[in-house]
């Protein structure tokens, strides 16, 4: 019999000491607030500041990581290896978008208040998909037919990583590129302050809103594809049980082809959104590999839903642990000299690593019970 | 027939390598050739370290960069003179921070074991941890500020022990080994892909620490005044006997002094490489080495026979990391400076992996050859890329923007070259240029692709 | 004498250097149930795999409806009308039951609803839990899904490798009854079974294998009544 996968987890125990601890902590925070003058406004200010510096960036970064991790997890589910070239695939796709953006801008085409890059997206996707398929045909297919061990695929993906990285540097160079145009803000700090009368402002950049919207649309489309179309179901079936999929007449080459197409598309979108939101630099994309792997593993590798959850867990941990809370606490009535920053921002990789290790040691299959490697 | 190939191939490949190096000496200059040779020697040591982990035991360590950097740190900590003022300013606070930190760790450890009631354990540990952390930071923060304030443009760190820098090669190995023990304890239960990702992560963390903890080794302000194990060129040029020698061989003393210094380095590095090669060769062909390979080829069977696989893996992880740490210390010694920002995973992790895979995993000679060959190509591609680009674009106009761009980015062709080389070797000769020598019972037929699972 | 509908004749094959089957013959007619029994290590599952092409033959031939299919790959044999239910890992655990069935019809998705309706008559569980992932089912339910998935390929031959392993005794009865219904619909059924007594009682043909060779062959009743067979393989 195949191992049983439990979806109905064990019944949750109520950890009384934890409950008491949380309760006491909440009381400690709430009591001084209620007792002070202007407490309500200050609480709002604290919330706005928290939203502005933790929630919104966390949602944005989380969406970007989720899209990247979806690609990694799809490749893992179908081909059973961790694709170390994925960060560079993201860079390659984003590079295509940047080049197409420049051409479109040169032709005087723009998307009004939205970044031109959105119009250029299909070109970037085309480029990344082409590259992925070239690698599949020239490299991975050979090992797939040999039924090679996963480590061989991983080493091959290192080769693909070097090649992709080299191509990106050859074509666009190693330096920073900014390609966001259109309106910068949807909500400006000043406007927000005037509107609400709070002393703390909240800004929502266009790129952040776009990231969220695009991520939602893409994820919905992906899940519709995987759950509603015959091809999507075949991919899930293949990921579930390769031998039985072959017996059902599912063509592994077709599944692999579409996996690469999906993964490269997701990578391009993730890379473009990240580049719009921050900036494009090939090496940064390589470094994204770590949080992306962390996201995929935390969620349970091979599980699309897990990749999304993992992306947000990693993004929020990274941002929440490296944000200095002094001003937020100020509003809540705790004045301190220290920054109240749990971890210096330079150590955001440490956050990924710690999450990774904690999950791998205590819950090796991740939140959503992914595969055991 | 097979025997001939395995006997002949290392010889011919080594000869080809030597010829290439000689060609660089004649065509470019002997200074360049020797500079390449020195880094080749270090690369070979690094590849040897990776080969011990991957080739002997099938461990996927993508944290090579971190251990290299630790070796470099050791060079600073051993060879730089101590900064007395900094010690006076913050030494005591640092010591207190260290004590509270170990105290916290010990308390957490003890609580985990002492508290019987499961539900209480979590909150108690968290409480102790938070209090300990706050206490540690209260000592740590001010001391760091005090140390970094001491003449920050020159020192601003605690300095080292002021010992000869060659000692740091041992210290680098030891430091790497100690850290490898900790990392190994945490991560070695993980299977291949997870181990690779976890070690990649920890190496990023290690380098982040070195970049940001200025009190330790000046962080990104770099340590540039490391002492040397060999004489300085200027000193040689000041010596009468050296000028005589230069006159006798008919060479410019400036040139000759460079060559002599580099040759001395090559001697030092080369003897370390030879010693390590001999040791790892002995280890590979000892019962221990056979056991490691048995574990690698069939973990389940080895486990069923009562081998403690995780313990063996920890052993081999520490050994390999030690060798990498030694290489890291030698590298910083050769460079004469410690620059944490220079550590990037392409150059210090994945390139070393390319060396091992291309050279031949499981074969120490192969790893060394890979180190020599790949470093040579890596360096020469940086020169050859622009040259090639200039040829390719010679049809374009001098000021054409395409040509300018291509010439600018041409040095990056080496990434491409490395990737293609890795893929081609993996495909055509999956065991590398010098495959592992297996037992006589037909094991040699097995492909890399069907093992290490 | 006409050739049986499916026959694996004088099959020799094995793993590595050693052969497990030595000239073993297995055959089944349409509308019949054939059962392969024998002691552990006799090569029962190997014979099944050989017939289905999961192991390359070193000698002998497999014919389906008179045509030599020895060189076809397993997916090609599925297309040629052979349905196979492996002993383990025989469902897609994260797909719903309905999706499992759809995957069975991946190659020919015409009138899929009719086929599903037919199978839900046979196995009501398929309808009751159609939106539940197959991985959450019990062993017996999972086996039903596996059989139904194989039936979705509209096979002319259904091959089952130890379908009752890990299934509770009450459900075993039930499962065998369904298999008889399938055979009654004109499909050739080939079963490898540990549960020899029960399987032979409903078999039209029985093959007793020992060390990769046919030891006894006959109708299920004959074998059950044969004192030698009873003595050696059915525990008296």
């Amino acid at each position: 019999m195949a191992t049983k996968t439990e979806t109905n987890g064990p019944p949750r125990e109520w950890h009384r000491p934890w409950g008491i601890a949380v309760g006491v902590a909440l009381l400690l925070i709430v009591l001084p607030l209620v007792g002070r003058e202007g407490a309500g406004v200050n609480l709002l200010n604290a919330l706005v500041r928290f939203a502005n510096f933790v929630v919104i960036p966390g949602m944005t970064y989380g969406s970007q990581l989720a899209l990247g991790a979806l690609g990694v997890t799809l490749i893992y589910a179908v081909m059973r290896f961790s694709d170390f070239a994925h960060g560079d695939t993201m860079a390659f796709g984003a590079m295509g978008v940047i080049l197409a953006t420049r051409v479109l801008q040169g032709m005087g085409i723009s998307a009004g208040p939205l970044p031109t890059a959105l119009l250029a997206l299909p070109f970037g996707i085309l480029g990344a998909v082409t590259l992925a398929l070239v690698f599949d045909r020239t490299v991975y297919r050979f090992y797939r037919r040999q039924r090679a061990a996963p480590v061989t695929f991983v080493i091959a993906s290192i080769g693909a990583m070097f090649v992709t990285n080299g191509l990106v540097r050859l074509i666009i160079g190693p330096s920073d590129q900014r390609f966001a145009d259109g309106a910068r803000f949807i909500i400006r700090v000043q406007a927000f302050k005037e509107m609400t009368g709070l002393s703390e402002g909240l800004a929502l950049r266009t790129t952040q809103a776009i990231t969220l919207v695009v991520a939602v649309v893409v994820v919905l489309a992906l899940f519709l594809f995987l759950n509603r179309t015959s091809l999507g179901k075949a991919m899930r079936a293949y990921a579930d049980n390769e031998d039985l999929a072959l017996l059902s007449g599912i063509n592994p080459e077709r599944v692999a082809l579409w996996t690469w197409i999906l993964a490269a598309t997701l990578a391009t979108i993730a890379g473009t959104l990240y580049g719009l939101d921050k900036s494009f630099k090939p090496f940064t994309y390589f470094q994204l590999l770590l949080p992306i792997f962390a996201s995929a593993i935390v969620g349970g590798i091979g599980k699309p839903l897990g990749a999304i959850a993992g992306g947000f867990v990693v993004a929020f941990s990274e941002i929440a642990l490296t944000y200095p809370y002094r001003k937020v606490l100020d509003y809540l009535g705790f004045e301190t000299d220290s920054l109240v920053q749990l971890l210096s921002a330079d150590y955001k990789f440490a956050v990924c690593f710690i999450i990774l290790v904690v999950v791998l040691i205590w819950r090796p299959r991740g939140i959503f019970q992914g595969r055991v490697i | 027939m097979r025997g001939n190939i395995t006997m002949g191939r290392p010889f011919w490949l080594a000869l080809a390598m030597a010829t290439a190096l000689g060609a660089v000496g004649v065509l470019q200059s002997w200074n360049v050739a020797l500079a390449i040779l020195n880094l080749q020697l270090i690369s070979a040591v690094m590849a040897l370290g990776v080969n011990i982990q991957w080739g002997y035991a099938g461990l996927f360590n993508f944290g090579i960069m971190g251990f290299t950097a630790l070796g470099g740190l050791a060079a600073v900590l051993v060879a730089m003179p101590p900064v007395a003022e900094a010690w006076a300013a913050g030494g005591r606070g640092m010591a207190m921070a260290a004590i509270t930190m170990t105290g916290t760790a010990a308390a957490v450890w003890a609580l985990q074991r002492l508290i019987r009631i499961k539900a209480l354990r979590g909150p108690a540990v968290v409480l102790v941890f938070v209090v300990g952390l706050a206490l540690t930071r209260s000592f740590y923060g001010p001391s760091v500020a005090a140390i970094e304030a001491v003449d920050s443009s020159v020192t601003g760190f605690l300095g080292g022990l002021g010992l000869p820098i060659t000692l740091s090669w041992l210290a680098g190995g030891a430091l790497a080994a100690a850290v490898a023990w900790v990392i190994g304890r945490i991560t070695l239960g993980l299977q291949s892909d997870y181990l690779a990702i976890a070690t990649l992560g920890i190496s990023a963390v290690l380098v982040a620490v070195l970049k940001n903890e200025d009190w330790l080794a000046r962080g990104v302000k770099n340590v540039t005044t490391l002492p040397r194990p060999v004489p300085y060129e200027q000193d040689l040029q000041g010596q009468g006997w050296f000028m005589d020698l230069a006159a006798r061989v008919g060479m410019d003393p400036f040139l000759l002094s460079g060559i002599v210094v580099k040759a001395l380095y090559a001697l030092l590095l080369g003897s370390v490489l030879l010693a390590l090669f001999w040791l790892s060769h002995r280890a590979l062909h000892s019962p221990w080495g056979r056991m490691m390979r048995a574990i690698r080829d069939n973990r389940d069977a080895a486990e069923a026979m009562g081998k403690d696989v995780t313990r063996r893996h920890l052993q081999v992880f520490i050994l390999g990391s030690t060798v990498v740490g030694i290489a890291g210390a030698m590298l910083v010694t050769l460079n004469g400076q410690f620059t944490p920002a220079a550590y990037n995973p392409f150059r210090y992790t994945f390139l070393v992996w390319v060396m091992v895979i291309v050279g031949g995993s499981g074969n120490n000679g192969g790893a060394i050859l890979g180190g020599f060959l790949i470093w040579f190509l890596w360096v020469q591609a940086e020169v050859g890329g622009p040259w090639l680009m200039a040829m390719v674009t010679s049809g374009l106009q001098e000021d054409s923007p395409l040509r300018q761009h291509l010439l600018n980015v041409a040095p990056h062709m080496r990434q491409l070259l490395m990737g293609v080389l890795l893929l081609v070797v993996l495909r055509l000769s999956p065991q590398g240029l010098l495959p592992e020598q297996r037992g006589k019972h037909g094991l040699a037929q097995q492909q890399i692709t069907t093992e290490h699972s | 004498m006409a050739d049986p509908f499916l026959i694996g004749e004088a099959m020799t094959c094995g793993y590595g250097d050693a052969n497990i089957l030595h000239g073993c013959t297995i055959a089944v007619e349409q509308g019949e149930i054939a059962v392969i029994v024998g002691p552990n290590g006799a090569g029962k599952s190997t014979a099944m795999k050989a017939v289905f092409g999961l192991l390359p033959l070193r000698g002998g031939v497999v014919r389906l409806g008179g045509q030599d299919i020895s060189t076809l790959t397993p997916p090609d044999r599925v297309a040629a009308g052979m349905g196979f239910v492996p002993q383990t890992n025989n469902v897609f655990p994260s797909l719903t039951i309905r999706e499992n069935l759809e995957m069975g019809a991946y190659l020919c998705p015409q009138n899929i609803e009719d086929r599903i309706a037919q199978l839900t008559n046979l196995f009501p569980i398929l309808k009751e839990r159609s939106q539940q992932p197959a991985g959450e089912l019990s062993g017996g339910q999972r086996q039903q899904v596996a059989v139904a998935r194989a039936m979705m390929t509209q096979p002319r031959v259904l091959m089952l490798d130890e379908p009752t392993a890990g299934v509770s005794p009450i459900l075993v009865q039930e499962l065998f009854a369904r298999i008889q219904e399938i055979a009654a619909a004109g499909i050739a059924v080939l079963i490898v079974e540990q549960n020899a007594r029960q399987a032979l009682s409903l078999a039209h043909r029985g093959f007793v294998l020992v060390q990769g060779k046919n030891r006894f062959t006959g109708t299920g009743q004959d074998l059950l009544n044969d004192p030698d067979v009873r003595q050696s393989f059915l525990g008296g």
Side-chain angles (χ1 to χ4, degrees):
Chain A
M1 277 301 104
T3 49
K4 270 178 89 171
T5 41
E6 301 249 349
T7 48
N8 312 329
R12 286 192 132 205
E13 288 172 46
W14 170 244
H15 299 292
R16 183 170 292 173
W18 278 113
I20 294 171
V22 172
V24 169
L26 279 177
L27 264 181
L28 280 177
I29 293 171
V30 171
L31 274 180
L33 288 178
V34 181
R36 282 195 316 155
E37 233 175 295
V41 173
N42 275 331
L43 182 63
L44 278 181
N45 272 326
L47 282 178
V48 167
R49 190 168 175 90
F50 187 71
N52 194 24
F53 288 99
V54 177
V55 177
I56 294 180
M59 293 293 289
T60 318
Y61 184 41
S63 311
Q64 291 151 1
L65 287 186
L67 290 178
L70 273 173
V72 165
T73 230
L74 279 181
I75 294 174
Y76 191 88
V78 170
M79 273 163 281
R80 313 269 192 277
F81 75 98
S82 314
D83 181 17
F84 278 81
H86 202 72
D88 288 292
T89 310
M90 280 167 66
F92 192 86
M95 175 190 75
V97 171
I98 294 174
L99 296 178
T101 304
R102 303 248 190 276
V103 171
L104 289 176
Q105 283 168 340
M107 289 158 62
I109 300 173
S110 86
L114 298 176
T116 318
L118 285 185
L119 295 178
L121 210 46
F123 301 99
I125 290 175
L126 200 66
V129 166
T130 311
L131 183 78
L133 293 185
V134 166
F135 277 129
D136 189 59
R137 286 294 170 264
T138 57
V139 180
Y140 297 118
R141 183 164 67 173
F142 175 77
Y143 299 110
R144 196 161 54 240
R145 290 195 172 157
Q146 280 202 328
R147 293 205 156 212
V151 283
T152 309
F153 283 92
V154 171
I155 293 171
S157 82
I158 304 268
M161 175 187 89
F162 267 104
V163 171
T164 314
N165 187 273
L167 285 175
V168 171
R169 283 160 188 257
L170 277 183
I171 296 173
I172 205 166
S175 48
D176 236 338
Q177 310 267 349
R178 294 197 154 272
F179 59 106
D181 53 7
R184 275 204 70 199
F185 288 98
I186 291 178
I187 305 172
R188 284 173 191 278
V189 172
Q190 209 50 47
F192 182 86
K193 283 183 185 168
E194 280 162 19
M195 206 163 67
T196 58
L198 292 173
S199 58
E200 199 53 53
L202 183 124
L204 182 64
R205 280 184 282 126
T206 320
T207 54
Q208 292 173 325
I210 286 176
T211 299
L212 290 173
V213 172
V214 170
V216 169
V217 170
V218 167
V219 166
L220 280 182
L222 179 70
F223 277 81
L224 274 180
F225 172 79
L226 288 177
N227 289 314
R228 291 276 185 274
T229 67
S230 158
L231 186 61
K233 288 175 192 173
M235 280 176 65
R236 285 166 53 220
Y238 187 86
D240 249 15
N241 189 338
E242 197 180 321
D243 293 325
L244 199 60
L246 292 177
L247 291 186
S248 304
I250 293 169
N251 178 356
E253 289 304 318
R254 198 165 125 88
V255 169
L257 178 88
W258 280 94
T259 306
W260 285 116
I261 291 177
L262 285 181
T265 306
L266 289 166
T268 306
I269 295 172
T272 306
L273 293 176
Y274 186 86
L276 278 175
D277 190 33
K278 280 137 190 149
S279 78
F280 173 88
K281 193 176 184 211
F283 188 61
T284 319
Y285 282 76
F286 168 77
Q287 289 182 313
L288 275 179
L289 200 56
L290 199 60
I292 283 175
F293 274 137
S295 309
I297 291 172
V298 167
I301 195 152
K303 297 277 171 186
L305 214 54
I308 296 168
F312 286 104
V313 168
V314 170
F316 273 101
S317 317
E318 239 184 53
I319 291 174
L321 289 178
T322 55
Y323 176 71
Y325 287 97
R326 178 162 61 184
K327 282 210 86 174
V328 174
L329 289 180
D330 244 14
Y331 285 119
L332 297 177
F334 302 93
E335 285 184 30
T336 80
D337 289 335
S338 98
L339 284 172
V340 204
Q341 187 182 19
L342 291 171
L343 210 58
S344 143
D346 304 307
Y347 290 128
K348 58 176 201 245
F349 291 123
V351 179
C352 287
F353 177 73
I354 290 163
I355 295 177
L356 202 60
V357 167
V358 166
V359 167
L360 289 182
I361 289 173
W362 280 287
R363 202 179 167 85
R365 297 174 66 193
I367 305 171
F368 284 85
Q369 299 288 305
R371 284 170 189 287
V372 180
I373 292 187
Chain B
M1 243 171 66
R2 234 192 114 71
N4 280 340
I5 294 170
T6 47
M7 294 299 285
R9 201 190 262 189
F11 173 75
W12 290 114
L13 286 170
L15 189 70
M17 194 65 251
T19 317
L21 216 51
V24 171
V26 174
L27 296 174
Q28 285 179 279
S29 85
W30 286 103
N31 255 315
V32 173
L34 278 170
I36 295 176
L37 175 67
N38 281 331
L39 282 165
Q40 279 179 320
L41 290 166
I42 291 172
S43 301
V45 175
M46 290 172 82
L48 209 53
V50 174
N51 187 39
I52 289 174
Q53 296 174 341
W54 165 246
Y56 292 18
L59 287 183
F60 236 141
N61 179 3
F62 278 179
I64 308 303
M65 170 180 77
F67 295 104
T68 315
L70 280 175
L73 173 68
V76 173
L77 296 186
V78 167
M80 289 304 284
V83 181
E85 270 179 80
W87 277 101
R92 183 176 303 199
M94 279 317 230
M96 286 305 291
I99 290 168
T100 47
M101 197 171 81
T102 30
T104 311
V108 167
W109 184 81
L111 282 178
Q112 287 274 16
R113 272 153 194 77
L114 288 179
I115 300 183
R116 291 288 161 89
I117 308 158
K118 215 179 166 191
L120 276 176
R121 206 184 284 158
V125 166
V126 169
L127 188 73
V128 168
F129 182 75
V130 169
V131 170
L133 193 70
L135 211 60
T136 307
R137 283 185 83 147
S138 71
F139 287 114
Y140 177 80
S143 338
V144 165
I147 292 169
E148 289 174 4
V150 176
D151 200 2
S152 71
S153 62
V154 185
T155 56
F157 73 130
L158 285 174
L161 301 171
L163 297 169
I165 196 161
T166 34
L167 275 181
S168 78
W169 300 0
L170 288 175
L175 186 60
V179 174
W181 182 78
V182 177
I183 297 177
R185 286 299 296 265
I186 301 173
T187 57
L188 278 180
L190 307 174
Q191 296 300 305
S192 53
D193 288 27
Y194 283 162
L195 181 64
I197 294 163
T199 46
L200 184 68
I202 194 91
S203 69
V205 175
L206 282 174
V207 171
V209 169
L210 293 181
K211 273 190 201 164
N212 293 297
E213 302 301 319
D214 290 8
W215 59 272
L216 186 62
R218 301 196 77 225
V220 286
K221 291 186 290 181
N222 301 339
V223 176
T224 51
T225 52
L226 282 166
R228 272 185 176 187
V230 297
Y232 284 85
E233 285 87 345
Q234 301 92 304
D235 293 346
L236 279 180
Q237 288 153 22
Q239 306 276 338
W241 62 266
F242 183 79
M243 301 305 278
D244 285 350
L245 184 75
R248 210 172 306 157
V249 295
M251 228 173 160
D252 180 7
F254 286 96
L255 224 60
L256 186 64
S257 65
I259 290 177
V260 166
V261 167
K262 289 195 179 71
L264 286 173
Y265 268 122
L267 263 169
L268 277 173
L269 302 173
S271 41
V272 172
L273 174 62
L274 274 179
L276 289 174
F277 174 62
W278 183 74
L279 285 172
S280 27
H281 184 79
R282 287 292 299 269
L284 185 61
H285 295 281
S286 69
W288 179 84
R290 277 194 292 278
M291 179 185 59
M292 290 313 308
R293 282 181 290 166
I295 291 175
R296 177 196 67 189
D297 292 342
N298 195 338
R299 184 192 170 121
D300 293 340
E303 225 157 20
M305 280 159 64
K307 307 288 181 206
D308 186 345
V309 172
T310 310
R311 201 183 145 80
R312 297 294 146 206
H313 276 173
L314 184 62
Q315 236 173 29
V316 87
F317 187 72
I318 292 175
L319 277 178
S321 301
T322 308
V323 173
V324 174
I326 293 173
M330 296 200 301
L331 184 69
V332 168
T333 306
L334 179 68
N335 289 340
Q337 55 178 354
F338 179 62
T339 50
Y343 291 101
N344 92 57
F346 274 101
R347 157 76 179 84
Y348 288 97
T349 294
F350 295 114
L351 194 66
V352 185
W353 269 87
V354 177
M355 292 170 186
V356 175
I357 301 289
V358 168
S361 31
N363 182 334
N364 289 319
I368 290 176
L369 175 83
F372 271 75
L373 177 72
I374 295 298
W375 183 258
F376 185 81
L377 292 176
W378 181 254
V379 173
Q380 290 299 8
E382 201 176 13
V383 192
W387 177 79
L388 190 75
M389 242 356 150
M391 296 268 289
V392 170
T393 58
S394 56
L396 294 168
Q397 278 189 339
E398 196 63 36
D399 56 346
S400 116
L402 180 63
R403 177 166 188 188
Q404 291 303 322
H405 171 78
L406 285 176
L407 285 177
N408 278 337
V409 296
H412 297 296
M413 276 179 69
R414 58 186 185 172
Q415 257 92 355
L416 200 63
L417 176 72
M418 286 304 131
V420 171
L421 191 67
L422 176 65
L423 290 175
V424 167
V425 169
L426 191 64
R427 175 71 160 267
L428 298 181
S429 174
Q431 303 237 44
L433 295 177
L434 295 182
E436 178 181 358
Q437 285 150 4
R438 298 242 174 189
K440 301 169 189 93
H441 307 293
L443 276 171
Q445 310 307 323
Q446 284 183 9
Q447 299 258 309
I448 186 181
T449 48
T450 54
E451 41 186 300
H452 300 322
S453 47
Chain C
M1 197 183 90
D3 216 16
F5 181 64
L6 170 72
I7 180 164
E9 200 168 22
M11 296 183 296
T12 298
C13 68
Y15 303 91
D17 294 335
N19 279 334
I20 293 176
L21 296 185
H22 308 275
C24 161
T25 295
I26 304 289
V28 60
E29 287 291 357
Q30 281 183 302
E32 281 190 4
I33 296 176
V35 175
I36 308 173
V37 296
N40 283 334
K44 302 187 295 285
S45 288
T46 312
M48 182 77 101
K49 283 179 186 161
V51 171
F52 192 62
L54 290 169
L55 265 183
L57 287 183
R58 291 169 184 163
V61 64
V62 180
R63 282 192 300 274
L64 177 70
Q67 283 190 317
D68 186 348
I69 57 165
S70 309
T71 54
L72 294 187
T73 62
D76 287 341
R77 290 182 203 216
V78 172
M82 296 173 80
F84 182 60
V85 182
Q87 184 182 346
T88 54
N89 296 328
N90 49 19
V91 296
F92 299 111
S94 77
L95 268 60
T96 64
I97 292 178
R98 159 115 199 162
E99 285 168 339
N100 265 280
L101 297 184
E102 287 174 17
M103 283 304 110
Y106 187 75
L107 279 183
C108 44
Q110 299 89 3
N111 58 32
I112 183 165
E113 295 304 326
D114 293 350
R115 279 190 266 164
I116 290 182
Q118 270 176 7
L119 285 167
T120 44
N121 285 336
L122 208 54
F123 300 110
I125 181 108
L126 301 179
K127 189 158 197 165
E128 290 158 22
R129 304 205 169 176
S130 70
Q131 294 308 315
Q132 200 173 339
E136 293 175 7
L137 300 177
S138 73
Q141 295 167 337
R142 196 184 301 215
Q143 215 65 29
Q144 296 183 11
V145 174
V147 172
R149 189 210 59 83
M151 288 301 293
M152 286 297 289
T153 61
Q154 295 185 305
R156 294 182 290 168
V157 181
L158 180 65
M159 304 175 49
L160 303 127
D161 192 356
E162 303 209 9
T164 61
V167 176
S168 70
I170 310 163
L171 280 171
V172 170
Q173 284 288 349
E174 172 78 16
L175 197 60
F176 276 136
R178 297 292 156 260
I179 291 171
Q180 277 182 305
E181 282 182 45
I182 290 172
I187 291 170
V189 178
L190 182 63
I191 308 175
V192 165
E193 200 37 81
Q194 285 278 4
N195 206 336
R197 194 181 288 271
Q198 211 165 3
L200 284 176
S201 68
L202 53 92
H204 299 95
R205 277 178 207 234
F207 298 89
V208 180
L209 298 193
V210 175
Q211 293 188 333
K213 294 191 179 98
N214 294 75
R215 173 69 67 87
F216 302 100
T217 307
T219 67
Q221 280 310 318
D222 284 352
L223 290 176
L224 279 175
N225 296 332
D226 186 315
D228 284 345
V229 177
R230 291 172 68 105
Q231 181 84 36
S232 318
F233 306 111
L234 302 176

